[in-house]
Amino acid sequence: MHELTSVMYILCKFEAGMGTELQLELIEAMDVFPARTKELNMVKSFVGKRLDACTKPVCPGQIVVEAFNEPDASPMFQSAVDVCKKRGLGWETALKWIRKPQEFDPCQMSIPTGAAVFSVACEPGSRRVAIGSGNSILIIDVTTGDVLHALEGHTKSVSSVS
């Protein structure tokens, strides 16, 4: 069971172009280990989102990095930590996420605006996004989610930003 949820096992399956077969293995394992269904479902979702990696040459580091992007309590994150520990890599100092989502399959970032959002604008390559929310325009840092500027005082709801 531990092998099935291992980043290295997933990588081997991807390198062999067997991502779909891996998903079938995970589904079968859910029948054999019903108490581990939640964990196996997380791994199945992780694999499913990366099936296109089976059609291209796989970069081993990419799968490990993507596993680190999963919530800390997920089997994929834990497996990536194990791989780095076994190889003597100092993963603790390299991975300092600010506001890393800890839910499974989260929205990448949620900004509590206090009102409905009617418009969002971003400039390619920029670290900022403009949000039209209620009677305000918020300028948000996309890395941290911090409100950099709040342009308030519009007499009506802001329906468009650009």
Side-chain angles (χ1 to χ4, degrees):
M1 170 66 188
H2 180 69
E3 174 183 294
L4 196 56
T5 62
S6 159
V7 169
M8 295 312 291
Y9 183 72
I10 291 168
L11 179 60
C12 289
K13 287 289 193 174
F14 276 8
E15 286 177 338
M18 299 177 68
T20 303
E21 290 82 354
L22 176 56
Q23 283 197 305
L24 293 174
E25 285 181 54
L26 291 161
I27 291 168
E28 289 173 11
M30 288 180 211
D31 291 335
V32 177
F33 304 102
R36 309 283 296 269
T37 298
K38 181 179 179 183
E39 175 184 356
L40 290 164
N41 236 349
M42 287 183 199
V43 176
K44 184 175 154 283
S45 177
F46 178 86
V47 170
K49 289 182 211 169
R50 291 154 184 86
L51 280 177
D52 65 326
C54 293
T55 62
K56 304 171 192 160
V58 179
C59 171
Q62 176 187 354
I63 298 296
V64 175
V65 167
E66 290 183 23
F68 273 121
N69 289 335
E70 295 292 306
D72 293 354
S74 74
M76 299 312 307
F77 180 86
Q78 294 302 318
S79 179
V81 168
D82 291 346
V83 166
C84 289
K85 283 181 178 178
K86 286 178 185 170
R87 296 192 173 168
L89 304 174
W91 65 273
E92 300 93 343
T93 57
L95 296 169
K96 297 273 187 205
W97 264 55
I98 299 171
R99 297 185 186 161
K100 178 182 176 185
Q102 293 300 320
E103 313 82 47
F104 181 67
D105 264 349
C107 155
Q108 289 301 307
M109 183 178 294
S110 78
I111 310 292
T113 61
V117 173
F118 292 107
S119 182
V120 176
C122 62
E123 181 180 348
S126 175
R127 294 184 54 180
R128 298 181 189 150
V129 64
I131 298 174
S133 174
N135 293 4
S136 302
I137 297 173
L138 305 174
I139 309 299
I140 308 291
D141 181 307
V142 297
T143 305
T144 65
D146 292 337
V147 176
L148 301 174
H149 305 285
L151 308 170
E152 299 172 333
H154 293 78
T155 56
K156 295 184 180 181
S157 289
V158 176
S159 59
S160 180
V161 294
S162 60

